[in-house]
Amino acid sequence: MAVDVPVQLTYVVTWREISDGLKIQLRHSPAGRWMYRVLWAAAGLLGLVIIANVLTRGTDAPGVGLWKFVALAYLSLVAFRWLMALALLAYARHLGEHRVTVDESGIETVSARHTLHTGWGFYGRAVEGRRVFVLLTPDVWGTGVMVLPKSGLDSAQDSERLWTLITTHLGGS
């Protein structure tokens, strides 16, 4: 498969694509993976404390209120990602339709209000999701993120060519 042929994407960003990109960013950046481990460990420990409290003191124990706190904390984390995606969606919609060209020199994004060329050296790695390709910077937070929706491609062959082009320059996860 020739990787020297540029791949074109044309799309208007959707909330689902941005949300998927943010989820992938959290799961594949070193800091995000660390935060997930800490969150699961804390939730497990808190769950054990709550179960022990209920078993020893009954359902009227003051510790039962922790269930509400845990549920609220989890929902807040999910809502935070959704709200972040909504904010980014407003920005992306302001830019209008995106026309992206991915080639040997990097990624060129053109919209009605914005033109940007990013070389391959800016990104450290890439992850393929069900709906999107996500390019991440090599820093510990994976702060720089580019989400390339598969819906912007014309065919499945373009998807394969794009992934081959990306992995040739960055490597995939």
Side-chain angles (χ1 to χ4, degrees):
M1 188 174 303
V3 294
D4 57 342
V5 178
V7 178
Q8 304 280 332
L9 295 94
T10 304
Y11 58 90
V12 175
V13 180
T14 67
W15 175 83
R16 172 54 69 193
E17 293 161 347
I18 292 174
S19 181
D20 285 355
L22 291 174
K23 184 190 303 183
I24 288 171
Q25 176 195 23
L26 277 178
R27 291 200 176 147
H28 291 277
S29 66
R33 284 192 304 269
W34 182 82
M35 287 184 343
Y36 267 110
R37 288 181 191 125
V38 168
L39 182 64
W40 280 110
L45 181 61
L46 189 57
L48 288 175
V49 168
I50 291 170
I51 290 170
N53 196 14
V54 168
L55 290 175
T56 58
R57 297 184 184 175
T59 57
D60 294 335
V64 175
L66 287 176
W67 284 107
K68 294 177 185 176
F69 174 75
V70 170
L72 183 63
Y74 178 77
L75 290 174
S76 297
L77 290 173
V78 171
F80 178 75
R81 191 187 56 180
W82 289 350
L83 292 172
M84 176 84 71
L86 280 175
L88 291 172
L89 178 64
Y91 172 69
R93 291 278 168 95
H94 170 71
L95 295 176
E97 182 181 73
H98 291 70
R99 291 174 307 283
V100 178
T101 303
V102 182
D103 59 19
E104 292 295 320
S105 68
I107 302 160
E108 182 172 332
T109 306
V110 178
S111 70
R113 296 179 176 87
H114 175 262
T115 299
L116 174 71
H117 184 275
T118 307
W120 289 112
F122 183 73
Y123 296 106
R125 59 200 191 112
V127 180
E128 181 178 9
R130 190 165 35 120
R131 293 181 190 90
V132 294
F133 296 104
V134 179
L135 284 64
L136 301 166
T137 54
D139 60 291
V140 72
W141 288 101
T143 308
V145 177
M146 177 171 280
V147 178
L148 298 172
K150 292 180 179 181
S151 63
L153 296 166
D154 290 332
S155 66
Q157 290 81 15
D158 284 345
S159 180
E160 292 172 16
R161 274 192 13 234
L162 179 57
W163 185 241
T164 301
L165 190 59
I166 290 171
T167 55
T168 298
H169 292 284
L170 301 180
S173 291

